[in-house]
């Protein structure tokens, strides 16, 4: 083994001995209480047919985009799609990225300059942390959803300041006090950026537009790989922001553009979302049902969330793994989220609810959870 391989092997051995070794698992036959396919769009035959139809309606479309958007890969179809998605979320403009990860990286690394400041909620998604790290700005994090902690960091800020939050947090499923955060951000002349990856779907336009706050938010991010059942993302904001990102966001500039197929899938997914009242209402009922079926003892360990993401915090990697194993053995696909992915002491089983989960499945899931907690 070379010196590099010896190093790699030692890091893997370390992971294995602390029980946090990651492996890839193929699809399974278990009941889905794990994926981000909140409204069942990824498995929707209706969506599949409408995407097929859209592709057939564009017989001259290419299999691949052939280049980056600034070279040969731009399509009028992509620009029209950006306009219609921006209008859907009630923003002036939008710019497509190949993933939410790329969008956060491109946005945060290009916006903030040396001497500027980025303040992130401590539970913000890794892609926002990585984007901030790639910038030359000063970085601070504030306690999750804590206005006093945010204000303390705002007092330290220099230059242009950006506060970055999620509207529905991916790991805890909770929603921040948006108005309070906006008010304090504005008081210090800072700019709010909201990642809406897990909110779009539960709120068709995203939570920001749902609350009518889009004019006070500097930029928002919607992703297509979760409730929209597809792949990719868009940064929403002013036309100036869009032009800036076209010029400076490296994860937009230096990558091959999405193919026509992918753009068609996103366009059709948004059309489906516009008529998805039934799926959204079933999803909300399923969230309510799950919370009603959880015993008082389990409720004690359940994080406060009205979103499809529901977490039972077991405070130990072993316990979280044990509960996940029991549920998987009984046919339910749920996953343990272990430290260091989440902070030590907050290890959990993360359950994602969907519009397609049946009442019977949810009742059984809750019963097994209650039995585990009561032992
Ligand atoms: C809050 C949040 N932002 C961004 C991303 C990245 O999005 P994508 O999966 O499209 O790269 C995720 C994905 O898990 C997320 O949860």
């Amino acid at each position: 083994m070379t010196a590099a391989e010896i190093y790699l092997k030692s890091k893997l051995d370390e992971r294995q001995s602390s029980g946090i070794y990651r492996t890839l698992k193929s699809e399974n036959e278990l009941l889905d209480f794990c994926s981000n396919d909140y409204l069942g769009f990824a498995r929707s035959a209706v969506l599949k047919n409408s995407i097929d139809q859209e592709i057939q309606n564009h017989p001259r479309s290419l299999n691949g985009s052939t280049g980056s958007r600034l070279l040969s890969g731009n399509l009028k179809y992509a620009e029209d799609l950006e306009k219609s998605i921006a209008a859907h979320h009630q923003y002036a403009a939008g710019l497509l990225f190949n993933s939410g990860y790329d969008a956060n990286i491109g946005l945060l690394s290009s916006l903030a300059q040396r001497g500027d400041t980025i303040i992130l909620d401590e539970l913000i998604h890794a892609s926002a942390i990585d984007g901030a790290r790639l910038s030359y700005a000063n970085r601070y994090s504030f306690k999750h959803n804590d206005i006093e902690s945010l204000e303390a960091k705002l007092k330290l800020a220099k230059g242009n300041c950006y506060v970055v939050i999620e509207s529905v947090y991916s790991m805890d499923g909770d929603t921040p006090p948006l108005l309070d955060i906006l008010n304090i951000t504005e008081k210090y002349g800072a700019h709010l950026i909201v990642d809406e990856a897990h909110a779009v779907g539960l709120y068709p336009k995203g939570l920001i537009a749902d609350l009518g706050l889009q004019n006070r938010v500097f930029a928002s991010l919607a992703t297509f790989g979760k409730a929209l059942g597809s792949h990719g993302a868009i940064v929403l904001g002013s036309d100036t922001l869009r032009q800036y990102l076209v010029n400076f966001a490296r994860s937009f500039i230096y990558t091959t553009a999405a193919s026509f197929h992918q753009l068609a899938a996103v366009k059709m997914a948004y059309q489906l979302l516009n008529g998805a009242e039934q799926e959204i209402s079933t999803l909300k009922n399923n969230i309510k049902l799950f919370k009603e079926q959880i015993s008082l003892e389990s409720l004690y360990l359940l994080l406060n969330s009205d979103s499809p993401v529901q977490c039972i915090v077991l405070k130990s990697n072993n316990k979280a793994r044990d509960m996940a194993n029991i549920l998987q053995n009984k046919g339910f696909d749920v996953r343990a989220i272990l430290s260091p992915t989440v902070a030590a002491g907050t290890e959990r089983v993360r359950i994602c609810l969907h519009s397609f989960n049946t009442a019977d499945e949810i009742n059984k899931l809750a019963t097994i959870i209650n039995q585990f907690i009561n032992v």
Side-chain angles (χ1 to χ4, degrees), residues 66-174:
T66 82
S68 68
R69 293 276 299 274
L70 284 162
L71 295 175
S72 59
N74 195 35
L75 293 175
K76 180 166 183 305
Y77 193 89
E79 293 187 49
D80 290 345
L81 183 61
E82 285 171 333
K83 284 186 191 130
S84 79
I85 298 177
H88 174 100
H89 293 287
Q90 302 181 350
Y91 280 86
L95 187 69
L96 293 169
F97 284 77
N98 286 345
S99 70
Y101 189 88
D102 284 357
N104 266 329
I105 293 273
L107 175 68
L108 295 175
S109 67
S110 66
L111 265 189
Q113 308 301 311
R114 203 180 294 283
D116 289 341
T117 307
I118 301 178
I119 304 177
L120 306 128
D121 185 287
E122 65 183 347
L123 294 193
I124 199 78
H125 191 259
S127 53
I129 297 173
D130 292 357
R133 277 191 186 149
L134 280 174
S135 80
Y136 294 104
N138 303 310
R139 273 181 287 124
Y140 300 105
S141 71
F142 65 99
K143 284 203 193 108
H144 183 50
N145 291 340
D146 185 321
I147 301 296
E148 277 177 26
S149 170
L150 171 58
E151 183 161 27
K153 302 297 154 67
L154 282 162
K155 284 182 177 160
L156 301 174
K158 296 194 177 68
N160 286 329
C161 175
Y162 303 92
V163 174
V164 190
I165 59 169
E166 293 176 35
S167 51
V168 171
Y169 278 89
S170 61
M171 278 299 151
D172 284 26
D174 59 339

Side-chain angles (χ1 to χ4, degrees), residues 193-206:
I193 296 176
V194 186
D195 183 334
E196 296 234 72
H198 293 270
V200 174
L202 189 61
Y203 309 94
K205 297 174 186 159

Side-chain angles (χ1 to χ4, degrees), residues 200-229:
V200 174
L202 189 61
Y203 309 94
K205 297 174 186 159
L207 183 54
I208 295 301
D210 197 73
L211 297 173
L213 298 174
Q214 63 278 16
N215 294 331
R216 296 171 64 189
V217 168
F218 179 77
S220 214
L221 194 145
T223 63
F224 312 140
K226 305 189 192 299
L228 284 153

Side-chain angles (χ1 to χ4, degrees), residues 190-319:
H191 306 79
L192 188 64
I193 296 176
V194 186
D195 183 334
E196 296 234 72
H198 293 270
V200 174
L202 189 61
Y203 309 94
K205 297 174 186 159
L207 183 54
I208 295 301
D210 197 73
L211 297 173
L213 298 174
Q214 63 278 16
N215 294 331
R216 296 171 64 189
V217 168
F218 179 77
S220 214
L221 194 145
T223 63
F224 312 140
K226 305 189 192 299
L228 284 153
S230 181
H231 187 247
I234 191 163
V235 172
L236 302 155
S238 68
D239 191 51
T240 308
L241 174 66
R242 182 177 183 278
Q243 294 311 320
Y244 180 86
L245 294 174
V246 168
N247 279 277
F248 294 102
R250 294 168 70 85
S251 61
F252 172 84
I253 299 168
Y254 298 109
T255 192
T256 301
S259 66
F260 177 80
H261 305 65
Q262 188 179 335
L263 299 175
V266 172
K267 180 173 172 183
M268 294 302 114
Y270 267 94
Q271 278 186 13
L272 194 62
L273 185 60
N274 276 329
E277 294 84 6
Q278 185 56 54
E279 285 84 353
I280 294 169
S281 141
T282 310
L283 173 62
K284 287 184 177 164
N285 286 338
N286 284 349
I287 297 166
K288 192 161 161 272
L289 176 65
F290 175 76
K291 291 175 73 171
E292 283 165 2
Q293 295 303 313
I294 285 292
S295 67
L296 211 56
E297 289 83 357
S298 309
L299 206 55
Y300 218 57
L301 307 177
L302 192 70
L303 288 182
N304 185 16
S305 152
D306 291 322
S307 81
V309 179
Q310 297 287 327
C311 293
I312 313 269
V313 176
L314 294 155
K315 301 184 183 168
S316 127
N317 276 351
N318 284 341
K319 272 195 191 161

